[in-house]
Amino acid sequence: MTLLVAIVGVIGTLGGALLTQNRADRMKRIELAQAAAQRLEERQHADLQRKAEQVEAREQEIAAERRACYISLNTAARQYVTALTNHMHALLRATAEEVFGDQLEVRRLAHRDSYAAAQMIVPLRVLNAASAVNRKLDAAYGTLKRIETTTDER
C-alpha cells in the first residue's frame, strides 16, 4: 500500500507538473496569437493611414496642377487679347507688320498650348467655358487677319 501511495504521489506530482506546463504553453500560444493579431491590426491601420495620406497628397497635387493650368490659360488668353488689340490698332495706323505681327503669333501659339494643356486637366465645366473663349479668340484672329489681308491689297 505504501508503494501504491508513493506511486500515486509521484504520478500526481508529475501529472501536476505536466498539466501546469501544458496550461502555461497554451496560455503562451494564446498570448502570441493575440500579439500577432494586434500587430496585424496595427499594420492594417498603418496601411490605411498611409493610403489616406497618399490620396490626400494626390488630391492636393491635382488641385495644384489645375490651379497652375487655370493661371496659365488665363494669362495666355489675356496676353492673346492684348496682342489682338495691339495688332488691330497697329493695322489702323498701318504699322502692324513692323511692330506687332510676331507678337500676335507668339501670343496665339502660347494660348493654343495653354488651351491644349487645359483640355487634359480641367473639369468639363471649365473646359466648356475655355472652349467658348477659345472659339471667340480664334474668330477674332480670323477677322483681324482678313482685315490685314484686305489692308495689304490696297
PDB file of all heavy atoms in Angstrom, residues 41-61:
ATOM      1  N   GLU A  41      -3.392  44.110 -36.838  1.00  0.00           N
ATOM      2  CA  GLU A  41      -4.327  45.236 -36.790  1.00  0.00           C
ATOM      3  C   GLU A  41      -3.587  46.568 -36.894  1.00  0.00           C
ATOM      4  O   GLU A  41      -4.018  47.473 -37.612  1.00  0.00           O
ATOM      5  CB  GLU A  41      -5.122  45.179 -35.481  1.00  0.00           C
ATOM      6  CG  GLU A  41      -6.207  46.230 -35.384  1.00  0.00           C
ATOM      7  CD  GLU A  41      -6.989  46.109 -34.084  1.00  0.00           C
ATOM      8  OE1 GLU A  41      -7.210  44.988 -33.609  1.00  0.00           O
ATOM      9  OE2 GLU A  41      -7.374  47.175 -33.559  1.00  0.00           O
ATOM     10  N   GLU A  42      -2.460  46.666 -36.220  1.00  0.00           N
ATOM     11  CA  GLU A  42      -1.663  47.899 -36.278  1.00  0.00           C
ATOM     12  C   GLU A  42      -1.112  48.118 -37.688  1.00  0.00           C
ATOM     13  O   GLU A  42      -1.097  49.244 -38.186  1.00  0.00           O
ATOM     14  CB  GLU A  42      -0.524  47.836 -35.260  1.00  0.00           C
ATOM     15  CG  GLU A  42      -1.000  47.971 -33.825  1.00  0.00           C
ATOM     16  CD  GLU A  42       0.096  47.698 -32.806  1.00  0.00           C
ATOM     17  OE1 GLU A  42       1.240  47.348 -33.200  1.00  0.00           O
ATOM     18  OE2 GLU A  42      -0.202  47.836 -31.602  1.00  0.00           O
ATOM     19  N   ARG A  43      -0.656  47.036 -38.343  1.00  0.00           N
ATOM     20  CA  ARG A  43      -0.162  47.151 -39.726  1.00  0.00           C
ATOM     21  C   ARG A  43      -1.277  47.581 -40.670  1.00  0.00           C
ATOM     22  O   ARG A  43      -1.075  48.431 -41.537  1.00  0.00           O
ATOM     23  CB  ARG A  43       0.428  45.815 -40.192  1.00  0.00           C
ATOM     24  CG  ARG A  43       1.910  45.681 -39.962  1.00  0.00           C
ATOM     25  CD  ARG A  43       2.522  44.530 -40.751  1.00  0.00           C
ATOM     26  NE  ARG A  43       1.776  43.299 -40.733  1.00  0.00           N
ATOM     27  CZ  ARG A  43       1.916  42.320 -39.835  1.00  0.00           C
ATOM     28  NH1 ARG A  43       2.779  42.457 -38.865  1.00  0.00           N
ATOM     29  NH2 ARG A  43       1.193  41.214 -39.917  1.00  0.00           N
ATOM     30  N   GLN A  44      -2.452  46.981 -40.506  1.00  0.00           N
ATOM     31  CA  GLN A  44      -3.586  47.343 -41.350  1.00  0.00           C
ATOM     32  C   GLN A  44      -3.974  48.803 -41.132  1.00  0.00           C
ATOM     33  O   GLN A  44      -4.250  49.528 -42.099  1.00  0.00           O
ATOM     34  CB  GLN A  44      -4.782  46.420 -41.070  1.00  0.00           C
ATOM     35  CG  GLN A  44      -4.587  45.020 -41.575  1.00  0.00           C
ATOM     36  CD  GLN A  44      -5.691  44.065 -41.125  1.00  0.00           C
ATOM     37  OE1 GLN A  44      -6.406  44.330 -40.167  1.00  0.00           O
ATOM     38  NE2 GLN A  44      -5.817  42.947 -41.823  1.00  0.00           N
ATOM     39  N   HIS A  45      -3.967  49.230 -39.883  1.00  0.00           N
ATOM     40  CA  HIS A  45      -4.288  50.636 -39.588  1.00  0.00           C
ATOM     41  C   HIS A  45      -3.240  51.562 -40.205  1.00  0.00           C
ATOM     42  O   HIS A  45      -3.580  52.598 -40.798  1.00  0.00           O
ATOM     43  CB  HIS A  45      -4.373  50.850 -38.077  1.00  0.00           C
ATOM     44  CG  HIS A  45      -4.643  52.265 -37.699  1.00  0.00           C
ATOM     45  ND1 HIS A  45      -5.868  52.869 -37.903  1.00  0.00           N
ATOM     46  CD2 HIS A  45      -3.848  53.228 -37.167  1.00  0.00           C
ATOM     47  CE1 HIS A  45      -5.814  54.122 -37.492  1.00  0.00           C
ATOM     48  NE2 HIS A  45      -4.603  54.362 -37.054  1.00  0.00           N
ATOM     49  N   ALA A  46      -1.970  51.186 -40.080  1.00  0.00           N
ATOM     50  CA  ALA A  46      -0.893  51.993 -40.666  1.00  0.00           C
ATOM     51  C   ALA A  46      -1.027  52.044 -42.187  1.00  0.00           C
ATOM     52  O   ALA A  46      -0.820  53.098 -42.804  1.00  0.00           O
ATOM     53  CB  ALA A  46       0.472  51.432 -40.264  1.00  0.00           C
ATOM     54  N   ASP A  47      -1.389  50.908 -42.805  1.00  0.00           N
ATOM     55  CA  ASP A  47      -1.594  50.878 -44.256  1.00  0.00           C
ATOM     56  C   ASP A  47      -2.738  51.790 -44.670  1.00  0.00           C
ATOM     57  O   ASP A  47      -2.626  52.538 -45.649  1.00  0.00           O
ATOM     58  CB  ASP A  47      -1.872  49.446 -44.744  1.00  0.00           C
ATOM     59  CG  ASP A  47      -0.638  48.556 -44.719  1.00  0.00           C
ATOM     60  OD1 ASP A  47       0.481  49.085 -44.611  1.00  0.00           O
ATOM     61  OD2 ASP A  47      -0.818  47.324 -44.800  1.00  0.00           O
ATOM     62  N   LEU A  48      -3.841  51.722 -43.938  1.00  0.00           N
ATOM     63  CA  LEU A  48      -4.981  52.596 -44.234  1.00  0.00           C
ATOM     64  C   LEU A  48      -4.596  54.058 -44.074  1.00  0.00           C
ATOM     65  O   LEU A  48      -4.966  54.900 -44.893  1.00  0.00           O
ATOM     66  CB  LEU A  48      -6.168  52.260 -43.319  1.00  0.00           C
ATOM     67  CG  LEU A  48      -6.921  50.972 -43.630  1.00  0.00           C
ATOM     68  CD1 LEU A  48      -7.977  50.703 -42.557  1.00  0.00           C
ATOM     69  CD2 LEU A  48      -7.567  51.042 -45.002  1.00  0.00           C
ATOM     70  N   GLN A  49      -3.859  54.350 -43.023  1.00  0.00           N
ATOM     71  CA  GLN A  49      -3.407  55.726 -42.774  1.00  0.00           C
ATOM     72  C   GLN A  49      -2.514  56.207 -43.910  1.00  0.00           C
ATOM     73  O   GLN A  49      -2.675  57.315 -44.423  1.00  0.00           O
ATOM     74  CB  GLN A  49      -2.657  55.780 -41.443  1.00  0.00           C
ATOM     75  CG  GLN A  49      -2.303  57.160 -40.986  1.00  0.00           C
ATOM     76  CD  GLN A  49      -3.491  57.890 -40.421  1.00  0.00           C
ATOM     77  OE1 GLN A  49      -4.465  57.284 -40.008  1.00  0.00           O
ATOM     78  NE2 GLN A  49      -3.423  59.196 -40.420  1.00  0.00           N
ATOM     79  N   ARG A  50      -1.573  55.350 -44.333  1.00  0.00           N
ATOM     80  CA  ARG A  50      -0.659  55.719 -45.414  1.00  0.00           C
ATOM     81  C   ARG A  50      -1.419  55.928 -46.722  1.00  0.00           C
ATOM     82  O   ARG A  50      -1.176  56.885 -47.451  1.00  0.00           O
ATOM     83  CB  ARG A  50       0.420  54.643 -45.575  1.00  0.00           C
ATOM     84  CG  ARG A  50       1.522  55.037 -46.543  1.00  0.00           C
ATOM     85  CD  ARG A  50       2.619  53.986 -46.677  1.00  0.00           C
ATOM     86  NE  ARG A  50       2.128  52.745 -47.231  1.00  0.00           N
ATOM     87  CZ  ARG A  50       1.946  51.615 -46.545  1.00  0.00           C
ATOM     88  NH1 ARG A  50       2.216  51.578 -45.262  1.00  0.00           N
ATOM     89  NH2 ARG A  50       1.491  50.524 -47.140  1.00  0.00           N
ATOM     90  N   LYS A  51      -2.369  55.043 -47.003  1.00  0.00           N
ATOM     91  CA  LYS A  51      -3.162  55.186 -48.228  1.00  0.00           C
ATOM     92  C   LYS A  51      -3.988  56.463 -48.200  1.00  0.00           C
ATOM     93  O   LYS A  51      -4.106  57.157 -49.214  1.00  0.00           O
ATOM     94  CB  LYS A  51      -4.058  53.965 -48.425  1.00  0.00           C
ATOM     95  CG  LYS A  51      -3.300  52.744 -48.859  1.00  0.00           C
ATOM     96  CD  LYS A  51      -4.201  51.534 -48.990  1.00  0.00           C
ATOM     97  CE  LYS A  51      -3.388  50.301 -49.356  1.00  0.00           C
ATOM     98  NZ  LYS A  51      -4.200  49.090 -49.420  1.00  0.00           N
ATOM     99  N   ALA A  52      -4.560  56.782 -47.048  1.00  0.00           N
ATOM    100  CA  ALA A  52      -5.339  58.020 -46.922  1.00  0.00           C
ATOM    101  C   ALA A  52      -4.438  59.235 -47.141  1.00  0.00           C
ATOM    102  O   ALA A  52      -4.834  60.205 -47.808  1.00  0.00           O
ATOM    103  CB  ALA A  52      -6.008  58.096 -45.552  1.00  0.00           C
ATOM    104  N   GLU A  53      -3.231  59.190 -46.619  1.00  0.00           N
ATOM    105  CA  GLU A  53      -2.285  60.292 -46.816  1.00  0.00           C
ATOM    106  C   GLU A  53      -1.880  60.402 -48.281  1.00  0.00           C
ATOM    107  O   GLU A  53      -1.730  61.508 -48.811  1.00  0.00           O
ATOM    108  CB  GLU A  53      -1.057  60.099 -45.928  1.00  0.00           C
ATOM    109  CG  GLU A  53      -1.348  60.310 -44.454  1.00  0.00           C
ATOM    110  CD  GLU A  53      -0.196  59.897 -43.550  1.00  0.00           C
ATOM    111  OE1 GLU A  53       0.838  59.374 -44.059  1.00  0.00           O
ATOM    112  OE2 GLU A  53      -0.332  60.070 -42.327  1.00  0.00           O
ATOM    113  N   GLN A  54      -1.709  59.258 -48.954  1.00  0.00           N
ATOM    114  CA  GLN A  54      -1.358  59.274 -50.371  1.00  0.00           C
ATOM    115  C   GLN A  54      -2.495  59.861 -51.204  1.00  0.00           C
ATOM    116  O   GLN A  54      -2.247  60.629 -52.135  1.00  0.00           O
ATOM    117  CB  GLN A  54      -1.027  57.862 -50.853  1.00  0.00           C
ATOM    118  CG  GLN A  54       0.281  57.332 -50.332  1.00  0.00           C
ATOM    119  CD  GLN A  54       0.502  55.862 -50.673  1.00  0.00           C
ATOM    120  OE1 GLN A  54      -0.436  55.142 -51.024  1.00  0.00           O
ATOM    121  NE2 GLN A  54       1.735  55.399 -50.552  1.00  0.00           N
ATOM    122  N   VAL A  55      -3.727  59.480 -50.871  1.00  0.00           N
ATOM    123  CA  VAL A  55      -4.883  60.020 -51.589  1.00  0.00           C
ATOM    124  C   VAL A  55      -4.957  61.531 -51.381  1.00  0.00           C
ATOM    125  O   VAL A  55      -5.173  62.284 -52.337  1.00  0.00           O
ATOM    126  CB  VAL A  55      -6.187  59.320 -51.121  1.00  0.00           C
ATOM    127  CG1 VAL A  55      -7.415  60.084 -51.583  1.00  0.00           C
ATOM    128  CG2 VAL A  55      -6.228  57.896 -51.624  1.00  0.00           C
ATOM    129  N   GLU A  56      -4.766  61.975 -50.156  1.00  0.00           N
ATOM    130  CA  GLU A  56      -4.814  63.414 -49.876  1.00  0.00           C
ATOM    131  C   GLU A  56      -3.703  64.156 -50.612  1.00  0.00           C
ATOM    132  O   GLU A  56      -3.938  65.222 -51.188  1.00  0.00           O
ATOM    133  CB  GLU A  56      -4.697  63.656 -48.374  1.00  0.00           C
ATOM    134  CG  GLU A  56      -4.821  65.117 -47.994  1.00  0.00           C
ATOM    135  CD  GLU A  56      -4.742  65.350 -46.497  1.00  0.00           C
ATOM    136  OE1 GLU A  56      -4.983  64.401 -45.732  1.00  0.00           O
ATOM    137  OE2 GLU A  56      -4.453  66.482 -46.102  1.00  0.00           O
ATOM    138  N   ALA A  57      -2.505  63.571 -50.618  1.00  0.00           N
ATOM    139  CA  ALA A  57      -1.386  64.204 -51.330  1.00  0.00           C
ATOM    140  C   ALA A  57      -1.673  64.282 -52.824  1.00  0.00           C
ATOM    141  O   ALA A  57      -1.399  65.306 -53.463  1.00  0.00           O
ATOM    142  CB  ALA A  57      -0.093  63.430 -51.078  1.00  0.00           C
ATOM    143  N   ARG A  58      -2.250  63.230 -53.373  1.00  0.00           N
ATOM    144  CA  ARG A  58      -2.587  63.230 -54.809  1.00  0.00           C
ATOM    145  C   ARG A  58      -3.655  64.267 -55.117  1.00  0.00           C
ATOM    146  O   ARG A  58      -3.576  64.956 -56.140  1.00  0.00           O
ATOM    147  CB  ARG A  58      -3.039  61.827 -55.236  1.00  0.00           C
ATOM    148  CG  ARG A  58      -3.371  61.717 -56.692  1.00  0.00           C
ATOM    149  CD  ARG A  58      -2.185  61.984 -57.596  1.00  0.00           C
ATOM    150  NE  ARG A  58      -2.604  61.981 -58.976  1.00  0.00           N
ATOM    151  CZ  ARG A  58      -2.146  62.818 -59.889  1.00  0.00           C
ATOM    152  NH1 ARG A  58      -1.215  63.682 -59.593  1.00  0.00           N
ATOM    153  NH2 ARG A  58      -2.607  62.770 -61.116  1.00  0.00           N
ATOM    154  N   GLU A  59      -4.647  64.378 -54.240  1.00  0.00           N
ATOM    155  CA  GLU A  59      -5.692  65.379 -54.439  1.00  0.00           C
ATOM    156  C   GLU A  59      -5.111  66.789 -54.395  1.00  0.00           C
ATOM    157  O   GLU A  59      -5.487  67.645 -55.199  1.00  0.00           O
ATOM    158  CB  GLU A  59      -6.795  65.218 -53.396  1.00  0.00           C
ATOM    159  CG  GLU A  59      -7.675  64.006 -53.630  1.00  0.00           C
ATOM    160  CD  GLU A  59      -8.656  63.745 -52.494  1.00  0.00           C
ATOM    161  OE1 GLU A  59      -8.596  64.446 -51.464  1.00  0.00           O
ATOM    162  OE2 GLU A  59      -9.484  62.824 -52.659  1.00  0.00           O
ATOM    163  N   GLN A  60      -4.182  67.014 -53.491  1.00  0.00           N
ATOM    164  CA  GLN A  60      -3.528  68.322 -53.420  1.00  0.00           C
ATOM    165  C   GLN A  60      -2.690  68.574 -54.667  1.00  0.00           C
ATOM    166  O   GLN A  60      -2.647  69.691 -55.186  1.00  0.00           O
ATOM    167  CB  GLN A  60      -2.668  68.419 -52.162  1.00  0.00           C
ATOM    168  CG  GLN A  60      -3.466  68.521 -50.890  1.00  0.00           C
ATOM    169  CD  GLN A  60      -2.593  68.527 -49.640  1.00  0.00           C
ATOM    170  OE1 GLN A  60      -1.379  68.324 -49.708  1.00  0.00           O
ATOM    171  NE2 GLN A  60      -3.213  68.748 -48.499  1.00  0.00           N
ATOM    172  N   GLU A  61      -2.039  67.537 -55.154  1.00  0.00           N
ATOM    173  CA  GLU A  61      -1.235  67.655 -56.375  1.00  0.00           C
ATOM    174  C   GLU A  61      -2.123  67.988 -57.571  1.00  0.00           C
ATOM    175  O   GLU A  61      -1.786  68.857 -58.390  1.00  0.00           O
ATOM    176  CB  GLU A  61      -0.500  66.340 -56.607  1.00  0.00           C
ATOM    177  CG  GLU A  61       0.449  66.333 -57.771  1.00  0.00           C
ATOM    178  CD  GLU A  61       1.133  64.978 -57.917  1.00  0.00           C
ATOM    179  OE1 GLU A  61       1.637  64.458 -56.921  1.00  0.00           O
ATOM    180  OE2 GLU A  61       1.140  64.448 -59.044  1.00  0.00           O
TER     181      GLU A  61
END
